[in-house]
């Protein structure tokens, strides 16, 4: 039986295990998807040695960047993004070859593209982790100029305190790549001037639990178009399967 899995820490909230195992059952695929909750990226090699039937991995927080040091090949797109969330595991005689890709960007672009209008030219990307890099790359591919938002003073970012009503009018696409508002802390949301939002704004939240985050709710109250991350997750999971099993 082929094995696939997810590495990250912690993994209590993981969507992937249920999705992939249900798909295997529905399509009669003789495979199993497992969670590998590893407190250190160094334990990746142990996971590989203990699971010789492993054909592919997904990578989640906090290893999307750190895992790149362990890969034999990184796709040009993943290298440009600076983050990997899919690994194809190839067994060549006694050697294991690891090939890294990024499906986050595929899922995000396919999910947000139908929402975009000609006046959506600039975006605020809330957060600076591995997922936010894929989002920024995807926005650029759609002709939208992204800027990162951080709590801290960093090169190439703006701070939440600097986001005025004028900023959200100019940067009218706002993507939440932070865990603010994720279950169980559903009463939190990024600090933004929500009262300044209108029907020209898109608020896209990578969070999918709860279905409607406080970030989305507050945006919708002012006429903004809102969407959660579930469709992106489904699309990137489907893309993962293609990276694991498609032609090179």
């Amino acid at each position: 039986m082929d094995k696939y899995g997810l590495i990250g820490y912690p993994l209590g909230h993981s969507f992937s295990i249920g999705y992939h195992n249900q798909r295997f059952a529905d399509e009669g695929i003789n495979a199993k998807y497992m969670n590998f909750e590893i407190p250190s990226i160094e334990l990746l090699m142990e996971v590989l040695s203990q699971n010789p039937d492993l054909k592919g991995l997904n990578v989640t927080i906090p290893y999307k960047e750190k895992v790149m040091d362990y890969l034999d090949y990184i796709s040009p797109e993943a290298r440009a993004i600076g983050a990997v969330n899919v690994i194809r595991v190839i067994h060549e005689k006694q050697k294991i070859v690891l090939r890294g890709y990024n499906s986050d960007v595929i899922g995000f672009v396919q999910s947000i593209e139908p929402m975009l209008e000609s006046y959506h030219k600039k975006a605020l990307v809330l957060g600076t982790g591995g997922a936010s890099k894929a989002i920024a790359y995807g926005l650029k591919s759609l002709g939208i100029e992204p800027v990162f938002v951080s709590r801290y003073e960093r090169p190439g970012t703006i701070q939440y305190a600097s986001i005025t009503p004028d900023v959200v009018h100019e940067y009218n696409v706002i993507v939440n790549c932070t865990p603010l508002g994720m279950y169980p802390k559903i009463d939190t949301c990024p600090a933004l001037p929500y009262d300044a939002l209108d029907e020209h704004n898109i608020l896209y939240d990578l969070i999918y639990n709860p279905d409607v985050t406080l970030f989305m709710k507050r945006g919708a109250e002012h006429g903004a178009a809102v969407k959660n991350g579930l469709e992106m997750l489904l699309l990137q999971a489907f893309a993962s399967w293609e990276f694991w099993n498609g032609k090179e």
Side-chain angles (χ1 to χ4, degrees):
M1 178 186 285
D2 291 335
K3 280 186 191 172
Y4 301 87
L6 174 68
I7 59 166
Y9 191 85
L11 292 180
H13 61 280
S14 166
F15 156 92
S16 299
I17 190 167
Y19 167 83
H20 286 289
N21 282 324
Q22 187 62 52
R23 182 178 180 192
F24 296 157
D26 291 347
E27 298 185 20
I29 297 168
N30 185 28
K32 181 181 181 183
Y33 193 98
M34 305 166 68
N35 278 353
F36 299 105
E37 191 173 59
I38 53 174
S40 165
I41 190 61
E42 287 80 21
L43 295 169
L44 170 62
M45 305 320 289
E46 197 174 298
V47 169
L48 293 166
S49 65
Q50 291 177 358
N51 296 277
D53 299 329
L54 204 57
K55 287 191 68 181
L57 288 167
N58 286 124
V59 185
T60 190
I61 295 168
Y63 301 134
K64 292 186 181 186
E65 294 149 300
K66 294 175 185 172
V67 78
M68 296 173 77
D69 291 339
Y70 292 81
L71 306 178
D72 301 290
Y73 166 86
I74 298 169
S75 73
E77 197 166 52
R79 192 174 290 285
I81 292 164
V84 162
N85 76 316
V86 183
I87 300 172
R88 181 169 180 158
V89 182
I90 302 167
H91 298 269
E92 293 181 351
K93 297 174 185 171
Q94 301 302 311
K95 190 169 181 273
I96 297 173
V97 176
L98 303 178
R99 297 176 68 87
Y101 306 90
N102 192 300
S103 66
D104 280 340
V105 67
I106 296 169
F108 173 70
V109 166
Q110 291 178 353
S111 179
I112 199 170
E113 195 166 17
M115 302 176 75
L116 297 173
E117 302 289 350
S118 58
Y119 51 76
H120 292 126
K121 302 289 189 190
K122 296 182 178 182
L124 298 175
V125 179
L126 312 182
T128 54
S132 67
K133 291 180 176 180
I135 298 311
Y137 184 92
L139 288 164
K140 285 178 190 170
S141 76
L142 292 165
I144 295 173
E145 178 194 327
V147 63
F148 291 106
V149 181
S150 172
R151 287 175 295 169
Y152 310 106
E153 193 73 52
R154 298 182 184 191
T157 68
I158 63 171
Q159 291 178 282
Y160 285 95
S162 303
I163 301 175
T164 62
D166 286 344
V167 171
V168 298
H169 291 151
E170 184 181 357
Y171 292 81
N172 53 9
V173 179
I174 306 174
V175 186
N176 180 33
C177 305
T178 79
L180 285 171
M182 186 160 62
Y183 180 86
K185 297 180 181 176
I186 61 171
D187 56 349
T188 59
C189 64
L192 299 170
Y194 290 94
D195 291 350
L197 300 174
D198 60 28
E199 69 276 7
H200 296 98
N201 289 96
I202 292 173
L203 268 62
Y204 191 107
D205 204 328
L206 266 57
I207 293 168
Y208 53 91
N209 182 13
D211 290 340
V212 180
T213 60
L214 187 56
F215 168 75
M216 293 167 61
K217 185 180 175 187
R218 294 188 69 181
E221 284 170 355
H222 295 281
V226 300
K227 194 169 195 175
N228 71 17
L230 184 60
E231 185 185 48
M232 171 183 162
L233 207 62
L234 290 165
L235 290 165
Q236 71 91 356
F238 190 78
S240 293
W241 180 256
E242 292 300 309
F243 283 130
W244 292 332
N245 293 284
K247 289 187 171 66
E248 284 292 303

